[in-house]
Amino acid sequence: MALQGGCLCGAIRYQVIGMPFEADHCHCNQCRKSVGAVVMSWMDFHTDKVQWLQGPVTEFASSDNIRRGFCQRCGCSLTYRHLDYPQYTSLSIASLDQPNLVPPTYHIHTDEQASWLKIDDSCPRYKAGKTAAKKPD
């Protein structure tokens, strides 16, 4: 199965082969500020499963080890990369052409969640992030 997506203006397009090995809702301050929303939903892939079909992603170093990718033309947030784990790429679920195909299965950084946001799902919640040691090889 191949999933496709891209940015708001259409300058960047991508395709991923297969389904993500994880998908989450992130409530951390950096994700919130980087997208201008109260929560960000990510899907994780092995980097070799991500194919860029059109346009370059511009990256911003939001911290020493984190790179956040976006479209330079429309500003749409697309990627999250941790430099310590180059074998993984996280993509914005909202950037998919069919985002309903990838439901998140857990919440991270709930210790930073907006207090007024109430999400009524049965997904596990982690006060901080899940460790990379839990990710598949």
Side-chain angles (χ1 to χ4, degrees):
M1 174 180 225
L3 302 172
Q4 289 195 359
C7 67
L8 177 63
C9 72
I12 298 175
R13 296 288 302 159
Y14 66 83
Q15 176 174 285
V16 289
I17 306 304
M19 296 299 284
F21 62 82
E22 288 192 329
D24 65 80
H25 295 296
C26 184
H27 299 272
C28 81
N29 289 326
Q30 284 197 1
C31 279
R32 287 201 318 256
K33 287 183 181 258
S34 74
V35 300
V38 73
V39 65
M40 181 62 177
S41 300
W42 296 106
M43 54 186 175
D44 301 332
F45 292 90
H46 289 275
T47 300
D48 63 353
K49 302 293 183 193
V50 179
Q51 300 172 335
W52 295 101
L53 304 174
Q54 178 179 307
V57 172
T58 300
E59 288 192 320
F60 171 71
S62 59
S63 64
D64 289 344
N65 293 323
I66 305 300
R67 300 297 179 267
R68 294 175 183 275
F70 62 96
C71 173
Q72 193 167 23
R73 185 170 156 200
C74 67
C76 179
S77 293
L78 294 167
T79 64
Y80 171 96
R81 290 189 315 115
H82 195 298
L83 297 182
D84 291 343
Y85 306 100
Q87 68 273 34
Y88 306 126
T89 298
S90 297
L91 294 164
S92 162
I93 293 174
S95 70
L96 282 172
D97 294 343
Q98 297 179 319
N100 288 329
L101 294 176
V102 182
T105 58
Y106 62 95
H107 296 260
I108 57 174
H109 298 287
T110 57
D111 59 339
E112 299 177 44
Q113 180 175 329
S115 62
W116 49 262
L117 178 65
K118 305 297 182 216
I119 298 176
D120 185 25
D121 65 24
S122 59
C123 295
R125 285 155 167 75
Y126 300 90
K127 288 184 179 188
K130 285 179 73 175
T131 64
K134 294 183 180 180
K135 294 190 184 296
D137 291 328

